[in-house]
Amino acid sequence: MTQEHTSIRRESLQRLRQDWESVFTMHLAYTALGIILFTPLVGIIGRLLLGLSDQPALADQDIAWFLLSPAGMTALVLLAGLTIAILGFEQASLMTMGAGHPQGLHISTPAALRFTAVRAHSIFAFAIRLVIRVLLLTLPFIAASGAIAWFLLSAYDINYYLAEQPAEFWIAAVMIGLLLLAMLLILLSRLLAWTMALPLVLFARVTPAKSFAESERLTRGHKRRLLKMLALWGLLTLLFSTVVLGMVQLLGSWLVPRFYDSIDWLVPVLGGLAALWILGNFVVTVFAAGSLAYVLVGFYQQYGAAEAHTDLTAIAQLQPASGWRLSAPLLTLILVAAMTSAILLGHWLVDGIQIKDTVTVVAHRGAAGKAPENTMAAIRQAITDNADWVEIDVQETADGAVVVMHDSDFMKLASVDLKVRDGTLQQIRDIDVGSWFDPRFSAERVPTLLEVLEKTRGKARVVIELKYYGHDRQLEQRVVEIVEQTGMTDEVAIMSLKYEGVQKIRALRPDWTVGLLSATAIGDLARLDVDFLAVATGMASPGFVRRSHEQGKQVFVWTVNDAVSMSRMMSLGVDGIITDEPALAREVIADRADLNPAERLLMHAAILFGRPEPRGRYRDESP
């Protein structure tokens, strides 16, 4: 690295070291601004989405379709623009503070904020133009990647491609990978060329419209040097992050076991560690944002010296030179606030934890961890493992039979190019759906719903998931008729990812138990006309579980296959665990009966500072 670039790096870090208090305060101010702006904006977008429908909540596919709609794309662009704008405003304020050093000027946080506020229109216009430029550059590559996926990976069920990874999967992966790599290289080149745009807007009074072209002129011939500087900045940031957050992790691993037997101490300790983790992340982002701004403004002052500059002396005089200092009273206040945060975070960890376990064990597609999914072998194993419920997927065949099958075709399970909707029951019966799991299951065939119900009668209840692949005809009516034929109306529940299908069952049999599957949601799912919600573990927060229970809805989580995660979900008070390993779930329930409250709390917080047991390899963990 040349001497001049070493000088820029050294001087930038020296400036940052001198201004760390002001940089810290500046980042805190913009973090608060982001929270203040984003929280209501996300809520407004959610309200808009709900206002466009007749439902109190929307999930999964509905959200995806919204995001692909013009309104959804507009919302995404708005959020991205706001994010870039806030980051741009923060970088502008930090650059303003860093720009005064060569002239011996100290530009305080209030002065930099005031200077930035005066130029708010120009900075926002710059941010919007940057977002538009990035979108115009990346969208063709993303569209081409989507087209490749559509042409090469749409013939069969997506689970087949993910599980078997045939040749076309790798062809698509390589083609999409190369496209995205090309996109990233081009984007990196453009972003390097635009690094001087914001300083030009701030200090040379260049308009946002002209700043990008002017930045390209200034950086021409210097991109390699700039890339080296930014690469070093990224390396230092990564190293700093690893050290800071790694120390917190090591502290937690060393400290937490010493309070196993005392919940009175364990709660504030866990809360303090969580607060320390948040503070560590904040310090890392302060370093990343501040060092980037100071490096870029140093580079600008090195190579843009011929440009007209704003009078930095006038900026420094906007506020007294004496900046914020870390006095003893202020340090005391910070420590008190830190302790208060530790106590509050500790109580937050406890919030929603249930001591008494009343958890239903639901075998996902039967005991799919021990036998091929959705087969009679898996059903028998689930009964043997003492599952309360057996969860199965049902579809219609070409001749109107209702069979138990998850995927839309047989490529994943048997490498047979036949969709369920196109095959007759007899054709489907000829397909071996067990050998993929183990040769000893070679006799397993796709069962009918009637066969599964007759097998489980009096031994386990059955959750029937309605599968829709765009060609269902009378699925709801046929399922109702089969259930009533077996006399098992009190031993069956119906659910689906498609709320419309759940509503059809509700209309046909208002007194039956019905539920909705969901991985993401906007709005209050608990207000939907269902009896239970089966959600991904990421949605099962204490607040969600509590709100659902207040609305009279049970909460089930899927697909949970390790002991630590099972215990954590049970601590949150969920009503059921959907798992490929029902026997393991029974073991966890039995083990938790012997745990004291402190040990349960540790299990609940194990994800934060512990190491969950490795999961087994499962064919498919989707609902």
Side-chain angles (χ1 to χ4, degrees):
M1 184 176 291
T2 63
Q3 185 175 355
E4 61 181 5
H5 294 108
T6 303
S7 175
I8 292 175
R9 173 177 57 81
R10 186 184 303 114
E11 289 177 4
S12 299
L13 292 177
Q14 178 64 29
R15 296 177 190 179
L16 183 63
R17 190 160 48 246
Q18 295 172 0
D19 293 344
W20 75 267
E21 295 171 354
S22 298
V23 172
F24 187 93
T25 305
M26 186 71 73
H27 186 65
L28 183 64
Y30 279 103
T31 299
L33 177 63
I35 294 173
I36 291 171
L37 292 178
F38 270 107
T39 302
L41 182 59
V42 172
I44 289 171
I45 292 174
R47 291 285 182 180
L48 172 63
L49 174 55
L50 293 175
L52 296 175
S53 69
D54 297 325
Q55 307 300 335
L58 297 172
D60 296 344
Q61 296 103 326
D62 299 312
I63 298 174
W65 283 116
F66 170 74
L67 294 178
L68 293 174
S69 69
M73 293 298 295
T74 301
L76 287 177
V77 171
L78 178 61
L79 288 174
L82 183 58
T83 301
I84 297 298
I86 292 175
L87 293 175
F89 273 92
E90 180 178 4
Q91 283 290 295
S93 298
L94 293 172
M95 286 178 178
T96 302
M97 290 195 300
H101 281 272
Q103 301 178 33
L105 299 173
H106 173 76
I107 300 176
S108 66
T109 301
L113 287 171
R114 187 177 301 180
F115 174 77
T116 306
V118 171
R119 287 155 179 78
H121 175 74
S122 296
I123 296 172
F124 187 75
F126 163 80
I128 293 298
R129 289 176 181 274
L130 179 60
V131 171
I132 292 174
R133 282 172 175 263
V134 171
L135 284 175
L136 290 177
L137 190 152
T138 57
L139 283 178
F141 290 93
I142 295 174
S145 298
I148 291 172
W150 175 261
F151 284 111
L152 293 180
L153 304 178
S154 61
Y156 309 117
D157 190 280
I158 187 60
N159 289 310
Y160 160 71
Y161 294 106
L162 295 176
E164 296 298 331
Q165 300 181 357
E168 55 266 34
F169 172 86
W170 288 108
I171 293 172
V174 170
M175 293 177 67
I176 293 173
L178 291 174
L179 271 176
L180 295 181
L181 178 62
M183 180 190 75
L184 289 175
L185 292 175
I186 295 173
L187 181 61
L188 176 61
S189 175
R190 293 291 83 204
L191 290 176
L192 284 173
W194 298 336
T195 49
M196 297 297 101
L198 183 56
L200 286 167
V201 171
L202 289 174
F203 308 123
R205 301 186 184 279
V206 176
T207 64
K210 296 180 179 179
S211 64
F212 293 93
E214 185 65 15
S215 176
E216 292 179 13
R217 183 184 68 80
L218 285 177
T219 57
R220 190 175 297 120
H222 303 300
K223 283 186 181 180
R224 181 173 297 180
R225 302 183 183 94
L226 183 58
L227 180 60
K228 289 180 179 179
M229 290 177 58
L230 292 179
L232 181 60
W233 163 79
L235 182 62
L236 288 175
T237 300
L238 178 62
L239 179 62
F240 184 61
S241 173
T242 302
V243 171
V244 172
L245 299 182
M247 289 176 62
V248 176
Q249 182 68 44
L250 288 174
L251 177 63
S253 300
W254 174 80
L255 190 60
V256 168
R258 284 157 175 76
F259 296 92
Y260 276 173
D261 299 324
S262 175
I263 193 170
D264 293 335
W265 284 102
L266 186 59
V267 171
V269 165
L270 284 172
L273 287 169
L276 196 59
W277 183 270
I278 294 172
L279 178 61
N281 274 285
F282 187 82
V283 170
V284 168
T285 56
V286 168
F287 175 80
S291 57
L292 177 62
Y294 278 42
V295 164
L296 291 181
V297 79
F299 192 89
Y300 170 76
Q301 290 173 334
Q302 179 78 32
Y303 295 102
E307 306 299 320
H309 284 68
T310 298
D311 185 1
L312 296 176
T313 303
I315 299 174
Q317 293 173 349
L318 289 175
Q319 199 73 13
S322 57
W324 177 74
R325 292 293 180 267
L326 191 62
S327 62
L330 185 56
L331 177 60
T332 302
L333 179 61
I334 291 174
L335 291 175
V336 171
M339 287 187 291
T340 302
S341 299
I343 294 171
L344 292 176
L345 284 168
H347 282 291
W348 173 78
L349 286 171
V350 179
D351 184 31
I353 296 180
Q354 305 293 322
I355 300 301
K356 182 180 179 181
D357 292 328
T358 54
V359 181
T360 297
V361 177
V362 182
H364 182 234
R365 307 181 197 172
K370 295 181 178 178
E373 64 180 54
N374 280 323
T375 61
M376 294 305 296
I379 305 302
R380 290 191 297 269
Q381 187 65 54
I383 295 171
T384 301
D385 290 343
N386 200 24
D388 297 301
W389 292 77
V390 175
E391 184 266 347
I392 58 174
D393 309 282
V394 299
Q395 304 177 51
E396 294 172 290
T397 65
D399 52 352
V402 178
V403 295
V404 179
M405 178 71 180
H406 178 272
D407 296 356
S408 62
D409 56 52
F410 293 90
M411 289 298 293
K412 183 186 78 173
L413 299 184
S415 299
V416 174
D417 185 3
L418 176 68
K419 293 187 179 298
V420 175
R421 66 172 182 262
D422 296 330
T424 64
L425 180 58
Q426 186 56 51
Q427 287 176 305
I428 290 173
R429 289 285 204 187
D430 292 334
I431 299 174
D432 171 7
V433 293
S435 291
W436 68 267
F437 190 92
D438 191 288
R440 62 192 175 91
F441 293 107
S442 61
E444 292 299 322
R445 298 295 184 264
V446 174
T448 64
L449 173 59
L450 180 61
E451 290 170 339
V452 171
L453 292 178
E454 289 177 340
K455 181 63 180 178
T456 57
R457 184 192 289 113
K459 301 172 185 175
R461 296 185 176 186
V462 180
V463 182
I464 302 172
E465 181 186 344
L466 306 179
K467 281 295 180 185
Y468 296 96
Y469 293 105
H471 296 271
D472 52 287
R473 294 174 292 277
Q474 302 179 51
L475 182 59
E476 302 86 6
Q477 181 63 48
R478 285 169 172 160
V479 167
V480 166
E481 291 172 356
I482 294 170
V483 171
E484 290 180 335
Q485 177 185 339
T486 61
M488 295 178 61
T489 56
D490 294 333
E491 301 177 58
V492 165
I494 311 292
M495 68 177 181
S496 179
L497 281 163
K498 187 176 180 181
Y499 184 54
E500 181 183 351
V502 176
Q503 288 179 308
K504 288 180 181 179
I505 292 291
R506 180 69 91 192
L508 289 170
R509 296 296 183 269
D511 57 336
W512 282 24
T513 301
V514 296
L516 178 70
L517 276 162
S518 181
T520 55
I522 293 177
D524 188 0
L525 284 179
R527 292 176 56 196
L528 295 175
D529 183 22
V530 294
D531 301 299
F532 65 92
L533 301 167
V535 299
T537 54
M539 291 182 60
S541 65
F544 176 83
V545 174
R546 183 168 53 249
R547 288 191 302 272
S548 300
H549 286 168
E550 289 172 354
Q551 294 291 331
K553 306 294 192 297
Q554 289 188 313
V555 177
F556 293 76
V557 290
W558 52 264
T559 304
V560 191
N561 289 327
D562 69 87
V564 170
S565 298
M566 287 178 182
S567 183
R568 184 170 179 266
M569 290 297 105
M570 293 174 190
S571 292
L572 291 175
V574 301
D575 301 282
I577 300 288
I578 301 176
T579 175
D580 293 309
E581 304 287 353
L584 177 60
R586 284 289 173 214
E587 292 175 10
V588 171
I589 293 173
D591 290 342
R592 282 172 58 87
D594 297 327
L595 296 180
N596 60 42
E599 291 169 330
R600 286 171 179 250
L601 178 62
L602 278 175
M603 291 294 288
H604 180 67
I607 302 261
L608 295 176
F609 299 105
R611 296 173 179 83
E613 296 176 9
R615 295 185 178 186
R617 295 182 62 86
Y618 300 96
R619 188 81 160 189
D620 180 7
E621 295 181 12
S622 62

